[in-house]
Amino acid sequence: MPVLNRIAAFAEEMKGWRRHLHANPELEFDCHTTAAFIVARLREMGVDEIHEGIAKTGVVAIINGQGAGPTIGLRADMDALAIHEITGAEYASTIPGRMHACGHDGHVTMALGAAKYLAETRNFAGRVAILFQPAEEEGGGGGVMVQEGVMDRFDIARVFGIHNAPNVPLGHFQTTPGPLMASVDTAWVTVTGKGGHGATPHDCIDPVVAVVAMVQAVQTIIPRNVYAMDEAVISVTQIHAGTASNIIPEVATFCATIRAFKPEVRDLLKRRVHEIVAGHATAFNVTAEVDYDWGYPATVNHAEEADFAAAVAAEVSGEAAVNARANREMGSEDFSYMLEARPGAYLFMGIGPGAGLHHAAYDFNDEAAPIGASFFARLVERAQPVA
């Protein structure tokens, strides 16, 4: 794999960073130890500026190049997941019920590797802003960083990010112009009837049958309301009701994850969920409340930046290892907020065979870190060449 020679030379050091982070996972915005580790490494590298406490525990590192030029942003998320690890690795999570099951430890390591190389070589114009972001999994830390003004404060012109991809060949890249990942919203529906004895349903108002009807009707929204060429997903993922076989409960609930690419489709799905719940509540003589969580928007790559990033990936891994027109997917990412604020692109990078993301047996492949760091470094050098 054509990794930059200097980065290859400190690959073992990167492995140590990654495994330390893996053993010490933190959740959401509470990435205090992770941020402290990142800051310590950045100080050792001699970056020009370190800004802490953004979105509570986020860190921005500034590296100055040679002469005037724009600022390019590189983003790495750093939070873990509430999953109990079963890898059995010697560097496994030391905190029960938490683990880096999505590879954010690897993402931080790739960004730190790029920072070390760029701080040493400075073979670019302008500046680099490396954005270490908390709360990607829960909380929308990317959106919070944007709201707190990182794009304007550091005058970032373009922004780029990578996510690792298990079971994609090591070092292979995938991206596409336009929508790459879907928006994600969540509907929590609470239905209230009148509980009572299961033997006397005529004396009750059964919320269970109302929920069953609502769930069935919600599943008709996409095939009957959404244009067939506009991808969307509604998955009912939870139904809760009852405590015993002979009791009709007072309350029943269900939850659905709702995903789309186009804003107008996203709006349609929300409206139809509310209409179906309200109509069925009337039909079944129950009351119903919808708590609709408007989540991350779709991750939409800017065409010029996506093509540029793919070309850089081809320099690192070879043209045969880059799919610049990959299929989009229904997963979601809060990097979307950064792409709403600035032109940029998001890519997937293969880490080879292994357990999938968010699985208790997942582990980032340390061989991938120098490849990702090389991509970030070459991206900066190609985007902002020294005159």
Side-chain angles (χ1 to χ4, degrees), residues 324-344:
R325 294 296 184 273
N327 290 333
R328 51 195 182 183
E329 63 170 66
M330 302 309 298
S332 62
E333 240 292 344
D334 75 342
F335 188 69
S336 54
Y337 294 109
M338 296 188 180
L339 290 177
E340 287 186 334
R342 290 293 188 274

Side-chain angles (χ1 to χ4, degrees), residues 167-230:
N167 300 307
V168 172
L170 177 65
H172 283 224
F173 287 82
Q174 300 175 349
T175 192
T176 194
L180 177 68
M181 302 180 77
S183 62
V184 55
D185 303 313
T186 306
W188 293 90
V189 180
T190 302
V191 177
T192 304
K194 178 184 175 185
H197 202 295
T200 57
H202 58 284
D203 290 329
C204 307
I205 300 174
D206 192 344
V208 175
V209 293
V211 162
V212 169
M214 290 175 188
V215 168
Q216 290 178 318
V218 161
Q219 298 299 329
T220 70
I221 294 174
I222 291 173
R224 287 297 174 264
N225 298 132
V226 177
Y227 175 50
M229 302 303 291
D230 290 335

Side-chain angles (χ1 to χ4, degrees), residues 13-331:
E13 185 178 12
M14 293 176 68
K15 181 189 292 186
W17 300 340
R18 206 282 301 182
R19 294 186 175 190
H20 171 84
L21 292 166
H22 190 88
N24 297 277
E26 295 178 295
L27 304 179
E28 299 182 21
F29 290 98
D30 294 325
C31 293
H32 301 280
T33 301
T34 304
F37 179 85
I38 291 168
V39 168
R41 302 292 78 73
L42 293 170
R43 286 183 177 143
E44 293 169 357
M45 295 169 194
V47 304
D48 296 288
E49 301 172 26
I50 301 173
H51 301 268
E52 302 178 62
I54 301 169
K56 190 175 180 180
T57 52
V59 177
V60 175
I62 300 295
I63 305 171
N64 295 323
Q66 301 181 39
T71 302
I72 186 170
L74 307 176
R75 177 269 204 163
D77 40 11
M78 57 186 190
D79 56 320
L81 284 156
I83 297 174
H84 186 76
E85 183 168 353
I86 61 170
T87 63
E90 62 180 14
Y91 51 84
S93 172
T94 59
I95 305 173
R98 297 184 194 174
M99 72 169 290
H100 274 291
C102 202
H104 296 185
D105 50 344
H107 299 171
V108 169
T109 299
M110 291 188 289
L112 284 173
K116 182 176 175 71
Y117 171 88
L118 292 167
E120 288 180 0
T121 59
R122 313 267 177 168
N123 188 31
F124 61 94
R127 304 192 307 171
V128 178
I130 304 181
L131 313 170
F132 295 94
Q133 177 214 305
E136 188 280 324
E137 298 292 355
E138 293 285 347
V144 176
M145 292 188 84
V146 171
Q147 290 168 8
E148 292 188 5
V150 292
M151 298 300 172
D152 294 330
R153 177 179 173 184
F154 301 107
D155 195 26
I156 295 171
R158 295 193 284 179
V159 64
F160 295 86
I162 304 175
H163 202 293
N164 75 96
N167 300 307
V168 172
L170 177 65
H172 283 224
F173 287 82
Q174 300 175 349
T175 192
T176 194
L180 177 68
M181 302 180 77
S183 62
V184 55
D185 303 313
T186 306
W188 293 90
V189 180
T190 302
V191 177
T192 304
K194 178 184 175 185
H197 202 295
T200 57
H202 58 284
D203 290 329
C204 307
I205 300 174
D206 192 344
V208 175
V209 293
V211 162
V212 169
M214 290 175 188
V215 168
Q216 290 178 318
V218 161
Q219 298 299 329
T220 70
I221 294 174
I222 291 173
R224 287 297 174 264
N225 298 132
V226 177
Y227 175 50
M229 302 303 291
D230 290 335
E231 300 100 324
V233 164
I234 297 178
S235 291
V236 175
T237 54
Q238 298 182 50
I239 298 177
H240 302 283
T243 57
S245 64
N246 60 351
I247 299 172
I248 291 175
E250 191 91 3
V251 176
T253 65
F254 73 92
C255 172
T257 186
I258 301 166
R259 299 166 186 259
F261 292 103
K262 293 182 177 180
E264 60 269 28
V265 174
R266 191 182 187 191
D267 291 340
L268 168 67
L269 298 177
K270 179 179 181 180
R271 174 173 60 82
R272 288 297 293 136
V273 167
H274 278 86
E275 289 171 348
I276 285 172
V277 169
H280 280 69
T282 299
F284 285 89
N285 195 28
V286 296
T287 60
E289 296 181 0
V290 181
D291 180 3
Y292 205 96
D293 178 23
W294 203 249
Y296 302 167
T299 302
V300 182
N301 282 338
H302 297 251
E304 181 179 342
E305 282 69 26
D307 288 341
F308 172 70
V312 173
E315 286 189 19
V316 174
S317 293
E319 290 188 7
V322 178
N323 183 352
R325 294 296 184 273
N327 290 333
R328 51 195 182 183
E329 63 170 66
M330 302 309 298

